[in-house]
Amino acid sequence: MKIPKDHPRAESLCVRELITEGMHQNIVAEAGLIAHGRGEAFDYLLGEKTPSFAIEQQTAAVALMLIAENPVISVNGNVASLCPDKIVELADILASKLEVNLFYRRVERSAIVTRKLEESGAENVLGNEEEFYTSIDELSHSRRVVDKRGIHIADVVLVPLEDGDRTMALRKIGKRVITIDLNPLSRTSIWSNISIVNNVTRAVPEMINIASELKNKSKDELRKIVESFDNFKLLKESLTFITSRLTKLAEGELKQPKIE
Ligand code: ATP
Ligand code: MG
């Protein structure tokens, strides 16, 4: 579908196009469309811009990835459709492994998502070779599969758009978990060590810029950033941000546009 450039919501429509196209290519699961819609609703509440608290969350996340022994970025179908080039670039600058990890796991889908990442420049995508499969016992059936070379041995895992159950399970097996989720109330956000309340399409490119700055800092400086970060303080700040934005709109800033 061709989206007219002057459409007032052209950007959002282009992103929808990426997701629906991803579904037709079997990269995105049907439920991925619903997850996307929930994300869009929360993004409307944020004002569809990166708020300052998210920069703080992203900075702490990058610092933690840079001091990790074995960082892994877990990729699902939505992320592979929305920002494949940027997620590969982020993994590269953070010296992180990339692992395909799907909620609705099917061998063929896993291979398609892997190919998408490879087309975007990824060289060694994990999560797709049966001989390296192992499982997280805290989870049921297909959702428990992880790669022995990746999430299984990782100390820090970045999971954009993860499900709450898996975030909890990763915490229970001792991983430090960073998530990107527009919903500050989701179990995912509440269970992570660092929750980034932002759209993955803005957060990932911004994290690349932050990483190129933080890469020059010493491990001690990075450790200080991580240690002074308080996840719940920032999650609460995200709620205050949304409520005060809505209050301002409710008390007068929301006006009917003039017809010209
Ligand atoms: P949880 O399982 O964590 O309790 P949930 O069941 O409500 O959350 P899921 O469907 O498991 O939600 O996960 C989808 C999440 O991804 C939603 O919380 C949604 O806000 C978020 N999301 C969707 N699209 C984006 C996006 N582009 N950027 C950031 N977050 C997104
Ligand atoms: Mg869920």
Side-chain angles (χ1 to χ4, degrees):
M1 189 183 78
K2 204 149 172 53
I3 296 154
K5 282 206 179 72
D6 59 352
H7 190 286
R9 300 204 46 77
E11 215 178 303
S12 165
L13 292 180
C14 288
V15 175
R16 275 191 185 181
E17 191 68 10
L18 284 177
I19 283 282
T20 43
E21 183 58 27
M23 195 192 73
H24 294 308
Q25 294 172 0
N26 208 12
I27 296 173
V28 172
E30 282 164 356
L33 300 188
I34 300 169
H36 183 76
R38 183 169 0 225
E40 280 184 341
F42 277 99
D43 210 12
Y44 236 115
L45 300 180
L46 279 186
E48 295 173 309
K49 286 197 294 249
T50 298
S52 60
F53 65 79
I55 300 283
E56 237 182 285
Q57 295 167 326
Q58 290 163 193
T59 304
V62 168
L64 180 57
M65 290 292 277
L66 287 172
I67 56 173
E69 295 280 320
N70 240 323
V72 174
I73 301 178
S74 169
V75 179
N76 68 9
N78 284 42
V79 174
S81 285
L82 290 175
C83 51
D85 299 348
K86 293 291 174 189
I87 205 80
V88 172
E89 196 180 333
L90 182 65
D92 207 37
I93 195 164
L94 294 174
S96 166
K97 292 173 188 160
L98 276 173
E99 177 167 338
V100 171
N101 219 286
L102 307 177
F103 187 100
Y104 297 97
R105 187 183 195 87
R106 292 218 183 83
V107 179
E108 325 81 73
R109 250 191 84 218
S110 221
I112 295 170
V113 176
T114 301
R115 201 171 328 124
K116 178 83 182 172
L117 294 175
E118 287 170 349
E119 284 164 9
S120 304
E123 278 175 7
N124 188 19
V125 183
L126 308 178
N128 197 34
E129 288 158 83
E130 226 167 300
E131 59 181 300
F132 295 107
Y133 286 172
T134 183
S135 63
I136 301 177
D137 295 337
E138 276 72 9
L139 285 168
S140 57
H141 48 271
S142 63
R143 302 179 43 223
R144 58 160 64 166
V145 176
V146 290
D147 195 302
K148 279 182 190 163
R149 303 159 296 173
I151 292 176
H152 181 62
I153 53 161
D155 52 344
V156 179
V157 196
L158 168 62
V159 276
L161 321 195
E162 189 50 277
D163 178 48
D165 277 14
R166 281 176 46 96
T167 308
M168 273 188 237
L170 290 171
R171 287 298 307 275
K172 283 184 188 158
I173 58 169
K175 312 292 179 196
R176 289 170 92 178
V177 182
I178 302 166
T179 53
I180 305 174
D181 188 335
L182 278 157
N183 177 3
L185 300 171
S186 71
R187 286 168 311 150
T188 300
S189 294
I190 288 168
W191 271 86
S192 333
N193 296 88
I194 298 178
S195 319
I196 299 169
V197 183
N198 200 5
N199 198 317
V200 82
T201 57
R202 294 188 298 268
V204 173
E206 286 164 7
M207 286 168 80
I208 294 170
N209 294 337
I210 295 170
S212 52
E213 277 169 37
L214 293 193
K215 261 187 111 68
N216 306 317
K217 296 216 185 275
S218 69
K219 295 254 170 185
D220 273 348
E221 284 174 286
L222 296 173
R223 227 168 268 123
K224 274 194 199 125
I225 296 176
V226 173
E227 278 161 16
S228 62
F229 181 78
D230 180 341
N231 199 41
F232 261 80
K233 179 170 161 271
L234 270 287
L235 271 182
K236 285 177 181 168
E237 219 170 281
S238 73
L239 290 178
T240 310
F241 177 89
I242 291 171
T243 21
S244 56
R245 181 166 181 271
L246 296 185
T247 306
K248 273 192 219 141
L249 287 168
E251 287 177 353
E253 280 183 19
L254 186 69
K255 295 215 171 73
Q256 170 134 53
K258 288 207 174 72
I259 298 167
E260 289 173 359

